[in-house]
Amino acid sequence: DQQVKQNSPSLSVQEGRISILNCDYTNSMFDYFLWYKKYPAEGPTFLISISSIKDKNEDGRFTVFLNKSAKHLSLHIVPSQPGDSAVYFCAAIWSGGTSYGKLTFGQGTILTVHP
Amino acid sequence: DAGVTQSPTHLIKTRGQHVTLRCSPISGHKSVSWYQQVLGQGPQFIFQYYEKEERGRGNFPDRFSARQFPNYSSELNVNALLLGDSALYLCASSLTGREKLFFGSGTQLSVL
């Protein structure tokens, strides 16, 4: 049962344009969402997060939007740069759960930004 | 400052063998989590330890076990290895387990 889904395995974008990565979740208990970026041969690196009490969080070129009613979140990268090329994982957590170190990850989206 | 360190970086084992993976968290972090990432999938939660106690366990067989030491470092043990155990094993640490996780670079395990 895939509780966090990233339905686009890959995304290709031109440098300078906007990248939009999407994520859907099914478990309504999730109350905190995170985006991680992963380069080959490295561990995932935290990018940005959002609490379920907000609908938007911004950090520089990165903005995460949360639509609770649709159980959908998206990551916007503006402007996209070639160095942003990586695998992006959406993750969710239920902070009230007993396994509070447990992140549930999506399958990942490979972003390629062309110069 | 040193990040999360894992050893070894790569490991090749044969079916039926046992393996021990090691993780040192960021200094001051008391929570360690283990994840398995199979190629083409997102990381899957295996265990979480906080202050040397198991606080969470994912849907993995009893062949998988872990422990956390007084210095907060951790070991993940896998017995009776199967081909399907071939994966990248990631360790992550955080202050208490309720914040964003910081991941190590992982141990790439190949079971032949």
Side-chain angles (χ1 to χ4, degrees):
Chain A
D1 178 27
Q2 192 76 28
Q3 297 187 63
V4 178
K5 294 182 183 180
Q6 294 175 255
N7 292 316
S8 298
S10 63
L11 176 67
S12 184
V13 172
Q14 205 69 30
E15 180 180 7
R17 306 292 285 268
I18 184 171
S19 295
I20 300 177
L21 296 98
N22 294 302
C23 177
D24 297 294
Y25 62 97
T26 57
N27 189 340
S28 57
M29 298 296 290
F30 289 142
D31 57 2
Y32 196 68
F33 303 89
L34 309 91
W35 284 93
Y36 280 83
K37 178 170 73 173
K38 187 179 184 301
Y39 293 117
E42 294 184 13
T45 303
F46 170 78
L47 258 182
I48 192 169
S49 63
I50 187 167
S51 165
S52 60
I53 62 173
K54 296 186 175 182
D55 55 18
K56 177 183 174 181
N57 189 26
E58 199 170 346
D59 184 3
R61 296 185 299 115
F62 303 92
T63 303
V64 57
F65 296 91
L66 175 62
N67 183 334
K68 279 182 63 179
S69 60
K71 293 192 178 66
H72 177 84
L73 61 155
S74 61
L75 174 68
H76 293 210
I77 306 174
V78 183
S80 301
Q81 300 172 353
D84 295 331
S85 298
V87 180
Y88 288 78
F89 291 102
C90 169
I93 192 169
W94 173 35
S95 60
T98 54
S99 297
Y100 51 77
K102 176 183 178 181
L103 287 176
T104 301
F105 283 87
Q107 310 95 307
T109 297
I110 301 170
L111 173 65
T112 304
V113 180
H114 299 282
Chain B
D1 287 341
V4 177
T5 57
Q6 292 187 244
S7 62
T9 55
H10 295 84
L11 203 50
I12 299 175
K13 292 284 189 178
T14 56
R15 280 178 297 175
Q17 284 190 311
H18 161 271
V19 69
T20 297
L21 310 181
R22 294 179 174 83
C23 172
S24 292
I26 292 172
S27 177
H29 284 191
K30 298 181 179 180
S31 172
V32 170
S33 301
W34 287 95
Y35 288 78
Q36 180 196 65
Q37 187 184 6
V38 173
L39 194 63
Q41 298 293 320
Q44 218 178 342
F45 174 76
I46 309 175
F47 284 110
Q48 195 247 346
Y49 277 78
Y50 176 66
E51 288 279 18
K52 302 181 287 292
E53 288 189 10
E54 181 183 305
R55 290 301 181 94
R57 183 185 182 110
N59 188 23
F60 280 81
D62 291 343
R63 299 185 295 108
F64 288 77
S65 63
R67 54 180 176 168
Q68 187 177 31
F69 299 100
N71 66 353
Y72 303 111
S73 67
S74 177
E75 281 182 355
L76 175 70
N77 295 283
V78 187
N79 292 323
L81 285 167
L82 303 174
L83 296 178
D85 294 331
S86 296
L88 179 67
Y89 288 84
L90 294 162
C91 173
S93 76
S94 67
L95 283 170
T96 68
R98 291 189 182 273
E99 317 82 10
K100 67 187 182 190
L101 301 182
F102 293 85
F103 284 86
S105 298
T107 294
Q108 185 66 54
L109 173 65
S110 298
V111 182
L112 306 179

